[in-house]
Amino acid sequence: MDIALKQQRLALAREVLHTEADAIIALSDRLGDDFLAAVELVLQCQGRVVVTGIGKSGHIGNKIAATLASTGTPSFFMHPAEAAHGDLGMITERDIMLALSNSGESAEVVALLPAVKRKGIPIISLTGRPQSTLARESTVHLDAAVEKEACTLGLAPTTSTTAALALGDALAVTLLDARNFKPEDFALSHPGGSLGRRLLVHISDLMHSGDALPRVASGTSLKDALLEMTRKGLGMTAVVDAAGSLLGIFTDGDLRRTLDRTLDLAGLAIDDVMTAKPRTIAANLLAVEAVKEMEQRKINGLLVVDQQGRLVGALNMHDLLKAGVV
């Protein structure tokens, strides 16, 4: 590809981005009472936001519905053609409709208006023509008009769909803030995502406990402690007293340091080589707190204790990696 053609294509791509960016800025400057009225309508809604639209507006509507649903506003997308053939029965009198159509005259969407109005359901429209049928028949109209499409033919929905999507995001985020929606709430809607794992998984969910917990009593020989470490496979063992209170920890790193000092391990007890008063963590904390502690202390494992200092569990970095918390 010659240099002139490369420059021409890059120039066109940049023009598209500038055109769409300018449209969003202009949209921002026009926000006013209608937008606030739409926010209040949704906040007062005791049901769900039913989003509808066809063609490219339908694709944008699908995304807006998904964003609303994941940020604290119950919502779903309804295809207007399917709605006209029975899916309207999914809408209740407690719901509200958000209808998208750049022209405001999409036949499939306009055809739904009489039935929706008979149910007494408020309608928020998002169009590029404030004088359109859909805009006039709506409870609240959101003006998403753009000066021009970014398409060089002026035909393909480009700037108009970007503007609609941005306005939908503005609505969703404003509602999120009004509802005091927190990261923990977001995680409940995303349990399979990385954020969900970080905010929903607790140390108690991952720690090794019971028979899987490596531990030896105070006074145990180093040899027997090493056998316990091998059996449990965590690269460490806890040292406890008769009441189960934690006294210390012995890790693979402690073993290497011991071997640097002496090769005669036969006469050593675990108390002679353990690290006393090790770092610990509580079982009810989020697993991400264990990640933070390990990274700050540059360690690969942690012991878990209760409020009385009794040993209840252990976990290492591998457990956190396996759970997807890291």
Side-chain angles (χ1 to χ4, degrees), residues 51-295:
V51 185
T52 192
I54 198 161
K56 302 300 186 294
S57 291
H59 295 306
I60 298 300
N62 245 312
K63 193 274 179 184
I64 292 174
T67 300
L68 288 169
S70 69
T71 53
T73 299
S75 178
F76 68 93
F77 179 80
M78 175 177 289
H79 194 286
E82 298 295 339
H85 290 275
D87 280 3
L88 267 176
M90 298 168 64
I91 305 177
T92 74
E93 294 178 354
R94 297 160 61 90
D95 297 332
I96 190 170
M97 176 168 277
L98 173 60
L100 282 72
S101 169
N102 186 46
S103 68
E105 301 293 347
S106 299
E108 297 87 348
V109 176
V110 172
L112 299 179
L113 298 180
V116 173
K117 288 197 160 199
R118 279 198 297 272
K119 286 177 175 278
I121 297 171
I123 301 170
I124 300 172
S125 63
L126 195 160
T127 84
R129 294 180 58 209
Q131 302 306 316
S132 63
T133 302
L134 179 57
R136 291 196 315 269
E137 296 298 325
S138 300
T139 312
V140 175
H141 174 249
L142 298 179
D143 182 5
V146 299
E147 184 177 338
K148 64 177 181 177
E149 298 288 4
C151 167
T152 54
L153 301 175
L155 299 174
T158 45
T159 310
S160 59
T161 49
T162 300
L165 180 61
L167 191 52
D169 285 343
L171 180 63
V173 174
T174 304
L175 289 165
L176 174 152
D177 182 72
R179 297 183 194 280
N180 196 27
F181 198 75
K182 295 181 172 58
E184 293 80 6
D185 301 314
F186 187 85
L188 290 173
S189 300
H190 299 74
S194 59
L195 177 63
R197 288 190 291 273
R198 289 179 60 200
L199 294 179
L200 295 178
V201 177
H202 289 78
I203 290 169
S204 58
D205 299 323
L206 303 179
M207 70 183 190
H208 300 261
S209 59
D211 292 338
L213 175 58
R215 58 185 160 192
V216 296
S218 174
T220 299
S221 69
L222 177 56
K223 176 184 176 182
D224 288 340
L226 292 175
L227 290 174
E228 175 72 355
M229 289 172 63
T230 301
R231 282 193 296 267
K232 303 301 171 63
L234 291 184
M236 61 179 172
T237 185
V239 183
V240 298
D241 63 16
S245 296
L246 180 65
L247 299 176
I249 188 172
F250 187 77
T251 68
D252 288 337
D254 291 321
L255 176 60
R256 288 192 294 272
R257 286 185 286 274
T258 300
L259 290 172
D260 284 340
R261 295 194 302 269
T262 178
L263 296 177
D264 183 13
L265 306 181
L268 293 176
I270 192 63
D271 305 68
D272 301 324
V273 291
M274 71 179 186
T275 298
K277 297 180 180 179
R279 300 296 303 184
T280 61
I281 201 162
N284 64 327
L285 295 179
L286 291 171
V288 69
E289 294 295 328
V291 175
K292 187 187 305 182
E293 181 72 13
M294 290 184 194
E295 290 177 342

Side-chain angles (χ1 to χ4, degrees), residues 269-320:
I270 192 63
D271 305 68
D272 301 324
V273 291
M274 71 179 186
T275 298
K277 297 180 180 179
R279 300 296 303 184
T280 61
I281 201 162
N284 64 327
L285 295 179
L286 291 171
V288 69
E289 294 295 328
V291 175
K292 187 187 305 182
E293 181 72 13
M294 290 184 194
E295 290 177 342
Q296 288 178 349
R297 303 289 174 179
K298 294 181 172 55
I299 55 178
N300 294 317
L302 274 173
L303 296 175
V304 187
V305 297
D306 62 17
Q307 292 182 342
Q308 287 73 43
R310 292 188 296 262
L311 181 72
V312 294
L315 76 165
N316 60 20
M317 188 62 77
H318 178 72
D319 299 317
L320 299 166

